[in-house]
Amino acid sequence: LDTDLSSWPRVRVEYRDRANSGPIREESDWPIPRTDYTEWFLDAGSAGLLASPPDGEQTATYDPTGTGFPAEAGDQCATFDLRFEQATDLAGHAALRLWVASPGAENMDLFVNLDKLDASGRRIGFPFFAYLDDGPLAQGRLRASRRELASELSTPAQPVQAHQRDIPLPNDGPVAVDIEIWPFTATFAPGETLRLTVAGADIQRYPPQEFAAGHDLLVNTAPHVLHSGGRYPSRLLLPVVPTPE
């Protein structure tokens, strides 16, 4: 059968500005070979994402034990903002390493969203559950007792949990957890912001008639404490894709 498939690009990527909008570029492979995986460090003191680790140790605390049913985080969350000073494209996997504690608890559920804010601070929606258009840019989640990684499968940008055993939280201080954030694409103009939100329940919950599944069987029994800086360099790894020359 004679077709023109052989002339098609191997990969076409839409660098999304918002739902169903954004420039499309042809790429040679996926993940995109020229991806520059860039670390941004959480600063609980300023609620920011910094290019280098903050000097002092800080904590951010929220209480997920009263999320109700259906469970939704509401205002019990921690946010960290990265304002882009120059045009930036992201495409691929992201990963979050958090240093966390939940004093008195053996386990904790962690939910992560990435969102895009325009230059005036308004949240921009993206496709979600195939038919919604007000979802997050990307998300991830982890039950802390399943934090052990499969070393032979994991990469810095894509941690893979082993899921072979449950390991309780230590009672002598914070512990590091690695959370995969599902692959995504986005383009940011100067002055626009990437917001990282961490919570103990679904950050965005839809009514039952929307058929958008949520999570209600949670294990949180105490407040969550996120640590940053110093001995606890919590960081977000982002897939920055330089614009072709």
Side-chain angles (χ1 to χ4, degrees), residues 16-17 23 29 43 72 89 106-107 142 152 157 163 243 245:
R16 302 176 302 166
D17 175 58
D29 206 348
D43 180 11
E72 186 172 14
D89 291 333
E106 293 188 352
N107 211 345
L142 177 70
E152 72 280 7
H163 291 299
T243 303
E245 297 181 358

Side-chain angles (χ1 to χ4, degrees), residues 11 31 52 64 75 78 95 108-109 131-132 149 151 160 192 217 222 225 240:
V11 177
S52 57
D75 62 358
M108 60 196 300
D109 286 320
Y131 72 101
L132 301 168
L149 295 178
S151 58
V160 178
E192 294 183 326
L217 301 179
V225 183
V240 178

Side-chain angles (χ1 to χ4, degrees), residues 20 126-133 211-212:
N20 306 310
F126 286 85
F128 197 51
F129 278 98
Y131 72 101
L132 301 168
D133 62 4
F211 300 103

Side-chain angles (χ1 to χ4, degrees), residues 44-132:
S46 67
L49 292 164
L50 310 181
S52 57
D55 293 331
E57 295 176 5
Q58 300 279 352
T59 60
T61 302
Y62 57 85
D63 187 353
T65 60
T67 51
F69 185 89
E72 186 172 14
D75 62 358
Q76 293 302 308
C77 61
T79 61
F80 304 86
D81 287 354
L82 167 60
R83 184 179 184 274
F84 290 97
E85 301 299 329
Q86 59 186 18
T88 302
D89 291 333
L90 305 176
H93 286 88
L96 178 64
R97 167 164 285 190
L98 286 176
W99 285 86
V100 300
S102 185
E106 293 188 352
N107 211 345
M108 60 196 300
D109 286 320
L110 293 161
F111 292 75
V112 174
N113 274 13
L114 298 182
D115 282 297
K116 179 180 177 179
L117 310 182
D118 67 16
S120 63
R122 290 188 298 258
R123 179 180 176 273
I124 296 174
F126 286 85
F128 197 51
F129 278 98
Y131 72 101
L132 301 168

Side-chain angles (χ1 to χ4, degrees), residues 2 7 23 64 78 82 94 125 127 141-143 148 164 183 211 226 238 245:
D2 186 17
S7 67
L82 167 60
R141 50 185 174 265
L142 177 70
R143 179 159 288 176
E148 185 177 34
Q164 295 298 308
F211 300 103
L226 311 182
L238 289 177
E245 297 181 358

